[in-house]
Amino acid sequence: MSKLVIVESPTKVHTIKKYLSSDYDVVATKGHVRDLPEKRLSVDIKKHFAPKYEIIKGKEKLVDELKEKAEKSSQVLLATDPDREGEAISWHLAYILGLDTAEKNRVTFNEITKSGVTAGMEHPRSIDLNLVNAQQARRILDRLVGYKLSPFLSQKIRRGLSAGRVQSVAVRLIVDREEEIRAFKPEEYWTLDAKLTPAKGTSRKSFEASFYGTPEEKIPVSNKEQADAILKELEGAEFQVAKVKKGTRRKKPAPPFITSTLQQEASRRLGFQARRTMKVAQELYEGVDIEGMGAVGLITYMRTDSLRLSEDALNDAASFIEEKWGKKYLPDAPRHYKSKAGAQDGHEAIRPATVSLTPEQVKGSVTSDQYKLYKLIWERFIACQMANCVQSTTQADISAGKYIFKASGYTVTFDGYTVLYEEGKDEESREGGSLPPLEEGMPLKCKELLGNQHFTQPPPRYTEATLVKALEENGIGRPSTYAATISTITAREYVVRDGKALKPTELGEVTTKLMKERFPKIVNVKFTAQVESDLDHVQSGETNWVDTLESFYGDFEKTLKKAKADMEGVKIQLKEDETDIICEKCGRRMVIKTGRYGKFIACPGYPECSFTMPLVVEMPGRCPKCGGRIMKRTGTSQKT
């Protein structure tokens, strides 16, 4: 009899089979097999929040096949993903297949390579019930919030609305930022910028210096009159180097990726949305067919918030760096990075599974997205084990009459890790370049002196990268959920994309206003972070999961009852999106409405005029038969 290994993804099956003997049969569940059914609450609140799980619709045949294979196998090993969801899937499989959860029938793979699979198979363990209970608590908590709040929002604002424990806070952050932008009052300020060059010496390189004030104090310039007065005083002034301060700056490389930082950097550098990043990372983890090697997992597990790196990986990186760039590009000792407080340390940071497998070696065997993301992960990991970048810095005070200008710059004396990789930034740096050789007392020639008007700028709208950063910094949700959260709030039209920026819609603002007024805890950043911390305590075995649910639900239920009573008969009106289409019956300008089956165009004169028509959306591309435009229509069956 063969042994049965059950994984989540069909993609993994081929890769894992390659590393196991013919004694093993490997099959996939294609995700969850048992869950709370969609059409009802399925949580018995009175019986300690007992969940009523069912086989997911469409998975019945698969479950029967798994049962049949399990009965014919000498051993069943549960090898679902090594995280909360994976542990829960294994627990559900154990229930369905009649396995003992206390037995050592659970195996996990940090990477889908020969060493990763071998290590996992050699160290089976029992199912971690604390991890399972943390997942159950999260699932039930989100179900309670969604199923209790969504009908209320649909009734008070618009049909079909949904609420979510994490998504509501994410929308609030975006709405609050929009309110900050609207409330912002720009303030005028001026800069006085001098273009200078050494009057003597061999170098005639020009550089810029900015007005500071006097040697005693900084003088802010707030209007044109003040700027013109200072410029007038500086007419004919002699510019001279008053003081030079030289130093050395050592820049350390960024740490290896965790889930959130990978999403941020892929957004900044590659323009990937979080969902796209996670989809490609999953493919790289599960295995890709590489020419001459077969199916290979290219990266370690991509859902992690730990910065831990294995000693083998550190040694491999050091060997690669020394061979490629030489010993001087290695730090004095391997770099170890400290994970943030509360990080789950079950997995390593995201890194290449095989350090010596460079992006260029796999380029011909992977998709464009896979290559770009693998290159990003590979370079970030190698760079994090390289020597510092060393820069010589110069800061100069330049006198002009009674005033002082300041200039700063740097030159790279040793590129270190920057020979390979530098972290992207959300905002551009105004760091100066190199300065010519400057010495105290050196006369300077002023080639140009200008006053430039500026206005303070409001805070920028969130992008995916900065929203993910804000969610992580505030302890909201888990990095593995951020992609789904952002997809949900855009799909539900609480938020729209404006280029890379995330902008709240009227629906998002109205919903957030109602939530802040009626359910302040649900959209409170600190409260949501505390709930996340409580779930972590369940996972560590410090807290009972039912107690966690009870402490949350009691207050939530009272708040919901009060909101329903206070808002009985109240309906919040949204502004309707007006179109250029004129009603055929009464001549009014028609509007876009949302009904049970999605959006449609209707006359605003209802009930006097009930004329409606389907909403037709033009799609990209042309008809392959006639070259005409392609239109998207959605009918009452919700099929396109």
Side-chain angles (χ1 to χ4, degrees):
M1 296 174 76
S2 64
K3 297 176 183 178
L4 182 65
V5 178
I6 304 177
V7 298
E8 281 180 55
S9 169
T11 315
K12 278 188 193 176
V13 172
H14 177 52
T15 318
I16 291 171
K17 267 186 176 177
K18 192 175 85 166
Y19 303 123
L20 297 177
S21 69
S22 57
D23 295 337
Y24 290 91
D25 184 17
V26 185
V27 294
T29 64
K30 300 176 184 176
H32 280 271
V33 290
R34 199 169 72 125
D35 199 2
L36 300 173
E38 287 295 325
K39 299 273 174 109
R40 54 187 185 275
L41 181 62
S42 303
V43 176
D44 195 332
I45 295 165
K46 292 179 181 177
K47 292 184 178 178
H48 306 296
F49 301 93
K52 299 174 183 176
Y53 295 116
E54 291 181 5
I55 302 298
I56 294 171
K57 194 174 180 182
K59 290 284 184 84
E60 297 88 354
K61 187 180 176 184
L62 174 66
V63 167
D64 288 340
E65 289 172 359
L66 288 173
K67 284 180 178 177
E68 190 178 334
K69 282 180 176 285
E71 285 173 7
K72 293 177 180 177
S73 301
S74 61
Q75 185 184 17
V76 178
L77 292 168
L78 306 170
T80 50
D81 284 356
D83 57 14
R84 246 181 217 170
E85 292 299 317
E87 205 71 16
I89 293 172
S90 283
W91 180 73
H92 285 297
L93 285 170
Y95 176 86
I96 291 166
L97 303 177
L99 305 177
D100 185 353
T101 56
E103 274 187 25
K104 291 187 176 181
N105 50 23
R106 174 80 169 112
V107 293
T108 56
F109 309 131
N110 187 50
E111 57 191 59
I112 311 298
T113 59
K114 185 169 185 178
S115 60
V117 171
T118 303
M121 295 297 282
E122 286 176 350
H123 299 92
R125 59 171 173 80
S126 57
I127 291 172
D128 186 338
L129 294 178
N130 288 333
L131 206 57
V132 173
N133 288 335
Q135 190 276 344
Q136 283 199 101
R138 180 187 295 278
R139 185 78 182 92
I140 293 167
L141 199 57
D142 290 343
R143 173 57 64 97
L144 291 170
V145 172
Y147 267 65
K148 296 286 185 177
L149 260 185
S150 297
F152 178 78
L153 294 180
S154 296
Q155 186 184 49
K156 299 304 171 190
I157 301 176
R158 192 173 83 183
R159 184 198 296 268
L161 292 188
S162 72
R165 189 177 55 83
V166 175
Q167 79 176 49
S168 297
V169 182
V171 175
R172 183 197 173 147
L173 289 174
I174 294 166
V175 170
D176 285 353
R177 177 59 58 86
E178 196 69 18
E179 289 173 353
E180 281 182 64
I181 293 168
R182 285 193 197 122
F184 182 81
K185 292 181 180 176
E187 292 182 5
E188 183 183 9
Y189 71 96
W190 285 67
T191 57
L192 307 180
D193 302 306
K195 192 172 184 180
L196 306 168
T197 187
K200 296 177 182 178
T202 55
S203 175
R204 289 288 184 270
K205 180 181 177 180
S206 62
F207 64 98
E208 286 193 358
S210 297
F211 177 79
Y212 174 79
T214 66
E216 293 77 33
E217 63 176 343
K218 182 177 174 65
I219 299 175
V221 183
S222 54
N223 54 57
K224 188 177 189 302
E225 291 73 25
Q226 187 185 3
D228 286 345
I230 295 171
L231 288 173
K232 188 170 181 58
E233 286 186 73
L234 288 167
E235 284 179 9
E238 291 184 3
F239 284 76
Q240 181 178 303
V241 179
K243 187 165 63 174
V244 177
K245 183 182 178 183
K246 294 189 176 182
T248 300
R249 178 169 59 197
R250 289 175 172 80
K251 285 179 67 178
K252 292 181 180 180
F257 284 128
I258 57 175
T259 307
S260 57
T261 54
L262 176 64
Q263 290 173 3
Q264 291 168 51
E265 191 75 342
S267 173
R268 285 190 290 250
R269 297 274 289 264
L270 307 177
F272 284 14
Q273 293 176 12
R275 184 177 283 277
R276 182 178 176 188
T277 298
M278 294 310 290
K279 175 182 176 291
V280 178
Q282 183 92 30
E283 293 165 358
L284 294 174
Y285 165 70
E286 289 177 352
V288 181
D289 277 311
I290 304 298
E291 189 177 349
M293 298 178 70
V296 179
L298 292 179
I299 64 169
T300 54
Y301 194 56
M302 65 286 155
R303 292 188 180 93
T304 178
D305 53 4
S306 168
L307 291 173
R308 180 172 57 79
L309 294 167
S310 73
E311 290 302 317
D312 286 346
L314 295 178
N315 292 335
D316 290 346
S319 298
F320 184 90
I321 292 163
E322 186 174 352
E323 186 178 333
K324 173 83 174 172
W325 291 285
K327 213 162 191 172
K328 66 178 181 176
Y329 279 87
L330 285 171
D332 293 336
R335 294 185 188 273
H336 295 273
Y337 295 89
K338 189 177 180 182
S339 302
K340 64 175 184 178
Q344 308 300 314
D345 199 45
H347 311 295
E348 288 184 61
I350 304 169
R351 62 167 176 82
T354 307
V355 173
S356 59
L357 197 57
T358 67
E360 292 310 309
Q361 286 175 279
V362 305
K363 190 173 185 179
S365 304
V366 298
T367 66
S368 173
D369 278 6
Q370 288 170 347
Y371 168 72
K372 288 174 184 174
L373 197 66
Y374 181 65
K375 186 172 187 285
L376 195 66
I377 293 166
W378 187 88
E379 288 182 350
R380 174 84 161 220
F381 169 69
I382 295 295
C384 88
Q385 292 304 310
M386 294 179 75
N388 293 338
C389 170
V390 183
Q391 299 171 346
S392 290
T393 60
T394 304
Q395 292 178 315
D397 287 0
I398 294 151
S399 63
K402 68 178 183 180
Y403 295 116
I404 289 287
F405 284 68
K406 285 184 178 283
S408 63
Y410 70 91
T411 54
V412 175
T413 54
F414 177 61
D415 51 10
Y417 73 91
T418 63
V419 72
L420 177 65
Y421 173 88
E422 280 194 82
E423 188 178 22
K425 292 181 175 65
D426 293 314
E427 295 177 13
E428 285 186 22
S429 171
R430 295 193 63 186
E431 212 170 35
S434 61
L435 298 176
L438 299 176
E439 295 175 7
E440 289 182 16
M442 177 186 283
L444 300 169
K445 184 179 178 182
C446 182
K447 300 177 76 175
E448 192 175 48
L449 179 59
L450 296 174
N452 296 303
Q453 185 187 38
H454 306 275
F455 291 92
T456 54
Q457 295 297 307
R461 287 188 177 121
Y462 283 109
T463 62
E464 280 209 7
T466 56
L467 180 62
V468 165
K469 189 176 181 181
L471 290 170
E472 184 186 30
E473 286 177 347
N474 285 290
I476 298 166
R478 273 283 166 261
S480 57
T481 66
Y482 295 156
T485 298
I486 294 169
S487 294
T488 299
I489 63 178
T490 51
R492 298 287 184 185
E493 297 182 349
Y494 293 123
V495 172
V496 292
R497 298 180 191 277
D498 184 2
K500 277 193 171 186
L502 298 171
K503 179 183 175 183
T505 60
E506 184 201 5
L507 176 63
E509 295 199 44
V510 167
T511 304
T512 298
K513 184 173 183 289
L514 176 62
M515 293 287 285
K516 280 162 118 175
E517 289 172 355
R518 298 293 172 181
F519 304 94
K521 277 192 173 180
I522 297 294
V523 288
N524 181 283
V525 171
K526 288 184 178 176
F527 176 75
T528 306
Q530 183 56 52
V531 171
E532 208 62 54
S533 177
D534 292 343
L535 292 170
D536 287 342
H537 290 149
V538 172
Q539 182 167 324
S540 63
E542 298 168 56
T543 310
N544 180 279
W545 69 282
V546 175
D547 292 343
T548 299
L549 290 171
E550 282 177 347
S551 66
F552 172 88
Y553 188 73
D555 185 59
F556 172 67
E557 188 180 33
K558 286 176 193 171
T559 306
L560 182 60
K561 277 183 182 176
K562 187 175 187 308
K564 284 179 177 178
D566 291 348
M567 294 190 70
E568 190 174 356
V570 175
K571 176 83 173 177
I572 299 170
Q573 292 297 321
L574 293 169
K575 293 175 189 172
E576 292 164 330
D577 292 331
E578 213 171 51
T579 71
D580 294 328
I581 301 167
I582 303 301
C583 176
E584 295 175 8
K585 291 190 175 179
C586 69
R588 290 183 177 93
R589 195 181 290 272
M590 298 184 76
V591 297
I592 298 172
K593 286 185 174 286
T594 302
R596 178 182 294 178
Y597 303 111
K599 292 187 174 183
F600 63 98
I601 297 174
C603 179
Y606 183 84
E608 295 87 16
C609 180
S610 58
F611 181 70
T612 65
M613 58 192 294
L615 176 65
V616 181
V617 180
E618 185 174 348
M619 303 298 286
R622 291 279 174 174
C623 174
K625 288 189 176 180
C626 69
R629 293 179 301 164
I630 299 172
M631 315 304 284
K632 175 184 176 184
R633 289 176 181 268
T634 304
T636 54
S637 65
Q638 292 185 290
K639 290 182 179 177
T640 301

